Amino acid sequence: MEEFKKLTLRRAFDFLENSNGQKLVEKSLEVIENEDKILNAFISVNKNPEIGVPIGIKDNINVLGMETTCASKILKGYIAPYDATVVKKLRAAKFAIVGKTNLDEFAMGASTEYSAFGVTRNPHDAERVAGGSSGGSAAAVASGEVIAALGSDTGGSIRQPAAFCGVVGFKPSYGLVSRYGLVAFASSLDQIGPITKTVEDSAILMNVIAGRDENDSTTVDRKIDFTQFIGKDMPKMKIAVAKQSFNEGVEDGIKEKMQEFIRFCESLGHNVDIVDIDEIKYSVATYYIIAPSEVSSNLSRFDGVKYGLRINADGLRQMYEKSRGIGFGDEVRRRILIGTFTLSAAYYDAYFEKAQKVRRKISMKLSEVFETHDFVVTPTSPITAFKVGSVSDPLVYYMMDIFTIPANLAGLPAISIPFGKVAHLPVGIQIMGPRFSDAKLLGFADNLERCLKANED
Ligand code: GLN
């Protein structure tokens, strides 16, 4: 079992070719049985999966015949009538879907504390959160319950939980991975991506899930081999470390890790500049207008008629109100209200339109930095995993997304890789690249990961 927990995708596929694939699935189910009593990484487990490499799927992505709850009461009992495109592709590539992983309700959150099915615990410290919203996926990979998992990332939901749990999380460029079968949160920001133990595994998964999809017109037609730079020597890079990585609000231990990361990159011959990207400070305000605006529209389909929960009442309007009132949790309701407000006739210009303009400014600033640098680096999160229940102010909670949001606003690829610990808690470093530089970004991150490992050994 200990050996299974450490398996990477590449080794798992070797195993699958040479022996009984059923074993992998059995082991995965066994580890889930043991670990999930404490972790609560899974909302549902598929007791009879096909033979293949065990993978977890965030429970806002459709898997035919299984419940898609989005960790919301409003979808309880909703069985997916089709496979998401990514799931179809995984099956074709011999992956076995062993379960649906926990998340904040409709992926709105950064800790899974907003899940209707209880919080996911951090495998490094069960008193702490695993991050979110893809906290179930990150905890499942970090604890070895599955070899890899899929998450979705609208403002950091793949990268931040990966950072909290000490694993790799990759948000691809907007348009590379089909969202057909992903329950929409904020459509101009959402991307599906991998959470894995190694960078190479993320690249392997990207080769499986990426590509143009007739069913999602936001996907682009680009053939990319995401593994092309894996295991290869890379040329020396020009890295822009955002000065904002050292702002107040960033934990001291994380600032020290950033300094250590800079020294590490320099020791490998890369060129590091500290670059002032002041626009980062607008990212949270911008996101928390744009994302809720899209939420208020996207979540209007959950009305008690089409999906899941229905609370009967006298009259249609009352039925809508009751079903939505009882079905949605507080955070989702808060965002629907904010979004309805920011899109309303009287406030559209002041909020939504303004936010769109600032979004453009943030994008343009990043493009400018990429004219002279290959990558932009920040901490993934300004803090390490916090204790369950310790953050109650929504504004404090939203500020945690400060470094991850810009990549979504600008449609850029970004990866979080583990970079040691502060006390006993993992730290993630985020590396962002220009749009569609995904293969190069993965190659660079893989290179760093290998050098780090060599230093350890
Ligand atoms: N934490 C952010 C939010 O609450 C990001 C969520 C996500 O990426 N799905 O919206």
Side-chain angles (χ1 to χ4, degrees):
M1 200 142 93
E2 288 314 306
E3 205 184 321
F4 171 81
K5 288 185 184 174
K6 294 206 186 85
L7 262 192
T8 56
L9 278 184
R10 174 134 59 119
R11 288 179 45 221
F13 277 108
D14 289 346
F15 189 86
L16 200 64
E17 260 174 37
N18 303 323
S19 61
N20 179 2
Q22 186 67 34
K23 278 250 155 53
L24 288 177
V25 171
E26 278 165 18
K27 281 273 180 270
S28 171
L29 291 173
E30 213 177 300
V31 181
I32 293 174
E33 177 88 34
N34 281 336
E35 303 282 332
D36 228 51
K37 287 186 204 97
I38 291 171
L39 293 181
N40 194 34
F42 284 88
I43 290 180
S44 52
V45 175
N46 181 3
K47 291 267 158 45
N48 294 301
E50 54 279 76
I51 289 174
V53 173
I55 189 164
I57 306 291
K58 187 175 181 178
D59 202 18
N60 58 352
I61 299 173
N62 281 340
V63 174
L64 173 71
M66 291 186 81
E67 231 182 357
T68 303
T69 68
C70 291
S72 179
K73 280 196 289 204
I74 209 161
L75 276 172
K76 187 96 195 87
Y78 169 73
I79 306 285
Y82 66 98
D83 271 335
T85 298
V86 288
V87 171
K88 220 184 220 163
K89 289 181 169 211
L90 286 173
R91 289 194 205 278
K94 284 243 167 304
F95 281 87
I97 319 297
V98 292
K100 305 293 297 289
T101 56
N102 200 8
L103 64 154
D104 290 287
E105 185 175 3
F106 286 101
M108 296 173 205
S111 63
T112 73
E113 292 171 290
Y114 292 125
S115 166
F117 302 102
V119 67
T120 295
R121 307 252 161 198
N122 193 308
H124 297 267
D125 180 344
E127 282 184 24
R128 292 173 190 267
V129 300
S133 65
S134 315
S137 289
V141 173
S143 63
E145 292 178 321
V146 284
I147 301 175
L150 290 189
S152 66
D153 192 311
T154 306
S157 276
I158 288 175
R159 291 160 283 158
Q160 184 259 23
F164 277 16
C165 292
V167 290
V168 174
F170 178 60
K171 184 199 89 72
S173 292
Y174 188 80
L176 286 184
V177 179
S178 165
R179 288 110 40 104
Y180 181 66
L182 166 73
V183 179
F185 165 2
S187 309
S188 75
L189 303 159
D190 298 339
Q191 265 298 282
I192 292 175
I195 296 181
T196 54
K197 292 171 198 165
T198 64
V199 177
E200 176 177 26
D201 279 2
S202 276
I204 292 174
L205 262 179
M206 281 302 292
N207 273 353
V208 175
I209 63 174
R212 164 88 189 144
D213 179 11
E214 285 298 305
N215 288 322
D216 177 357
S217 59
T218 64
T219 51
V220 294
D221 199 4
R222 273 181 182 246
K223 301 257 167 309
I224 300 178
D225 175 8
F226 295 91
T227 56
Q228 62 186 295
F229 300 114
I230 301 294
K232 307 259 164 66
D233 283 338
M234 298 281 282
K236 302 306 172 206
M237 299 291 171
K238 282 191 70 97
I239 299 162
V241 169
K243 186 174 150 216
Q244 284 62 30
S245 310
F246 302 99
N247 277 2
E248 59 170 322
V250 180
E251 264 173 29
D252 286 344
I254 296 207
K255 287 181 194 164
E256 281 159 29
K257 280 308 223 184
M258 282 300 294
Q259 297 288 9
E260 193 184 321
F261 183 78
I262 293 171
R263 289 195 296 273
F264 171 62
C265 287
E266 285 173 341
S267 76
L268 298 174
H270 301 298
N271 186 304
V272 183
D273 294 321
I274 307 286
V275 177
D276 188 356
I277 311 180
D278 193 41
E279 286 76 357
I280 287 179
K281 71 174 180 227
Y282 301 122
S283 63
V284 172
T286 307
Y287 172 88
Y288 280 96
I289 291 169
I290 292 175
S293 300
E294 296 186 26
V295 161
S296 75
S297 153
N298 271 331
L299 268 60
S300 63
R301 60 169 65 90
F302 303 105
D303 54 8
V305 177
K306 304 183 195 76
Y307 306 91
L309 182 82
R310 170 179 306 174
I311 309 289
N312 284 314
D314 308 330
L316 188 63
R317 198 193 159 91
Q318 286 83 346
M319 190 278 286
Y320 285 162
E321 281 176 7
K322 279 232 161 96
S323 302
R324 286 171 70 83
I326 292 170
F328 288 136
D330 290 348
E331 180 60 22
V332 172
R333 272 221 293 279
R334 173 160 36 233
R335 298 207 193 188
I336 293 172
L337 289 171
I338 293 172
T340 306
F341 176 79
T342 51
L343 287 179
S344 62
Y347 295 98
Y348 179 88
D349 298 355
Y351 291 99
F352 188 71
E353 203 173 68
K354 181 90 170 273
Q356 296 285 38
K357 287 183 186 152
V358 181
R359 176 180 193 171
R360 182 96 207 116
K361 267 203 168 305
I362 296 170
S363 273
M364 275 160 50
K365 176 67 190 184
L366 288 166
S367 300
E368 191 190 305
V369 179
F370 287 129
E371 279 169 22
T372 46
H373 294 83
D374 297 286
F375 303 112
V376 169
V377 170
T378 65
T380 306
S381 162
I383 56 172
T384 50
F386 53 92
K387 290 211 165 132
V388 173
S390 66
V391 183
S392 52
D393 180 346
L395 291 181
V396 174
Y397 193 86
Y398 294 167
M399 280 312 287
M400 285 184 241
D401 305 328
I402 183 156
F403 295 125
T404 46
I405 285 171
N408 301 79
L409 291 175
L412 309 176
I415 192 165
S416 177
I417 56 168
F419 190 71
K421 292 181 175 175
V422 171
H424 61 300
L425 301 171
V427 172
I429 299 281
Q430 172 179 249
I431 314 170
M432 253 184 291
R435 186 133 184 240
F436 302 130
S437 69
D438 301 55
K440 179 175 156 189
L441 174 59
L442 286 161
F444 179 61
D446 167 75
N447 201 276
L448 295 180
E449 185 187 73
R450 281 172 207 265
C451 294
L452 268 179
K453 203 160 180 321
N455 284 357
E456 273 167 29
D457 294 345

